């Protein structure tokens, strides 16, 4: 009986140790299974993120190359029309401005030679560059190994000053109540300088032409002995409100033939 009482706890402890050990083995195995499943997804996510930044670098390099080529072509292609006038120089300039061992050289299929400008347009006064290339994936994505990318740039040729505008298409500026037309939108008549003064002193004020100021028929119907009124340099009326419709100009841009019957503004000619 004493021996039986001694050995029984030993067997129970042994059984407990075996059970705990098998539980640890199962836990470690489950961690390994989860890690083997999650690791490929995590690695793929990092690869996709790195490729995204590399794609941005490629677009930046190609954009800079197009900009540099467009600036040079704006001089070289001046006065020349047709695709043959600028396509060959454009290809050479774009490839020259992309450095060796750059991101564009590594990730564009066929490198710099893979940048095609066949859809560019060199006619007229503008150069429209269009670069088409295929960007390679570092891994397969839905069965695809690359993606087509298109970048565009438009710049004007250095053709100098254009022809003298046709009077029928020349744009001038008028106001509904005005009797003259203006060639300069910043004319002082269209943009009056409004100053405030005391009503008691307005009789002593004079405009740029030396004339006196008279009450505005629109906003000065009721006169009082005191208060602030508003005047302009070239007007001959004083106003009780800064936003009076006689001060505020409604400017319309029209073609010169539409301003028939109006004289040319003398202030625009003098640059006032």
């Amino acid at each position: 009986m004493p021996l039986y009482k001694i050995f029984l706890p030993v067997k129970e402890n042994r059984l407990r140790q075996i059970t705990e050990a098998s539980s640890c083995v199962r836990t470690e195995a489950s961690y390994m299974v989860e890690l083997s499943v999650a690791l490929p997804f995590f690695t793929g996510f990092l690869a996709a993120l790195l490729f995204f930044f590399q794609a941005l670098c490629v677009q930046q390099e190609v954009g800079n190359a197009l900009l540099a080529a467009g600036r040079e072509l704006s001089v070289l292609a001046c006065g020349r029309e047709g695709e043959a006038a600028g396509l060959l120089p454009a290809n050479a300039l774009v490839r020259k401005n992309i450095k060796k061992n750059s991101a564009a050289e590594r990730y564009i299929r066929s490198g710099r030679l893979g940048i095609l400008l066949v859809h560019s347009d060199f006619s007229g006064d503008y150069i429209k560059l269009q670069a088409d290339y295929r960007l390679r994936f570092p891994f397969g994505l839905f069965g695809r190994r690359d993606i087509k990318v298109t970048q565009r740039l438009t710049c004007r040729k250095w053709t100098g000053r254009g022809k003298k505008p046709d009077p029928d298409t020349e744009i001038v500026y008028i106001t509904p109540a005005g009797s003259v037309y203006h060639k300069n939108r910043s004319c002082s008549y269209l943009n009056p300088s409004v100053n405030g003064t005391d009503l008691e002193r307005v009789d002593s004020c004079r405009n740029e032409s030396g004339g006196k100021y008279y009450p505005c028929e629109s906003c000065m119907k009721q006169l009082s002995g005191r208060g602030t009124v508003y005047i302009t340099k070239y007007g001959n009326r004083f106003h009780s409100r800064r936003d009076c419709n006689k001060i505020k100009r409604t400017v319309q841009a029209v073609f010169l033939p539409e301003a028939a019957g109006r004289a040319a503004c003398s202030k625009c000619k003098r640059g006032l």
Side-chain angles (χ1 to χ4, degrees):
M1 292 297 293
L3 292 175
Y4 176 77
K5 291 182 180 180
I6 293 175
F7 289 127
L8 183 57
V10 173
K11 290 182 179 181
E12 291 178 352
N13 291 338
R14 181 61 177 173
L15 181 60
R16 187 182 299 109
Q17 292 176 359
I18 294 174
T19 304
E20 293 177 354
S22 61
S23 175
C24 293
V25 171
R26 287 196 302 269
T27 304
E28 293 177 358
S30 64
Y31 289 159
M32 292 298 296
V33 172
E34 293 176 359
L35 182 61
S36 63
V37 173
L39 186 59
F41 287 99
F42 182 72
T43 305
F45 171 76
L46 289 181
L49 186 63
L50 293 175
F51 175 75
F52 172 76
F53 288 109
Q54 291 294 341
L56 293 179
C57 294
V58 171
Q59 290 184 326
Q60 182 68 30
E61 292 175 2
V62 174
N64 292 338
L66 288 176
L67 179 60
R71 289 176 176 175
E72 295 189 49
L73 288 172
S74 63
V75 179
L76 297 177
C78 177
R80 302 163 63 185
E81 295 185 356
E83 293 185 0
L87 183 58
L88 294 178
N91 281 320
L93 290 172
V94 170
R95 293 167 184 172
K96 183 190 73 172
N97 287 290
I98 294 181
K99 300 178 181 179
K100 294 182 178 180
N101 299 324
S102 62
E105 184 75 14
R106 293 194 305 269
Y107 288 95
I108 294 178
R109 187 170 295 279
S110 302
R112 289 175 291 180
L113 299 177
I115 302 176
L116 305 178
L117 304 176
V118 292
H119 295 101
S120 300
D121 184 14
F122 302 92
S123 61
D125 294 334
Y126 289 88
I127 298 174
K128 300 177 182 179
L129 296 177
Q130 178 174 325
D132 299 309
Y133 57 90
R134 305 198 72 87
L135 199 60
R136 295 183 298 179
F137 290 138
F139 50 87
L141 184 63
F142 301 109
R144 302 183 60 178
R145 299 296 300 180
D146 55 29
I147 184 174
K148 183 180 179 181
V149 180
T150 298
Q151 292 183 237
R152 297 182 179 89
L153 173 80
T154 300
C155 60
R156 193 178 188 280
K157 296 178 182 178
W158 290 6
T159 55
R161 185 183 297 273
K163 298 180 180 179
K164 188 176 180 180
D166 187 350
D168 292 338
T169 60
E170 184 179 1
I171 295 178
V172 296
Y173 304 93
I174 61 173
T175 59
S179 60
V180 298
Y181 66 85
H182 309 264
K183 293 187 175 181
N184 189 356
R185 178 61 180 83
S186 60
C187 176
S188 58
Y189 180 81
L190 298 177
N191 303 275
S193 176
V194 183
N195 299 313
T197 186
D198 192 80
L199 179 59
E200 297 177 350
R201 300 177 53 188
V202 72
D203 289 338
S204 60
C205 297
R206 298 293 183 271
N207 58 24
E208 289 292 324
S209 301
K212 293 183 61 176
Y213 291 97
Y214 301 94
C216 172
E217 299 85 354
S218 177
C219 64
M220 292 296 297
K221 295 181 180 179
Q222 296 180 354
L223 294 176
S224 58
R226 296 180 181 180
T228 301
V229 294
Y230 301 94
I231 58 177
T232 60
K233 289 184 179 181
Y234 298 95
N236 60 357
R237 295 289 188 271
F238 58 89
H239 311 265
S240 62
R241 302 195 315 271
R242 182 182 290 271
D243 59 347
C244 176
N245 57 4
K246 298 296 183 180
I247 298 178
K248 184 179 179 181
R249 301 286 188 255
T250 301
V251 183
Q252 300 175 350
V254 298
F255 292 111
L256 183 58
E258 299 180 40
R262 300 171 184 253
C265 175
S266 59
K267 299 174 186 177
C268 292
K269 294 181 180 179
R270 298 196 303 267
L272 298 177

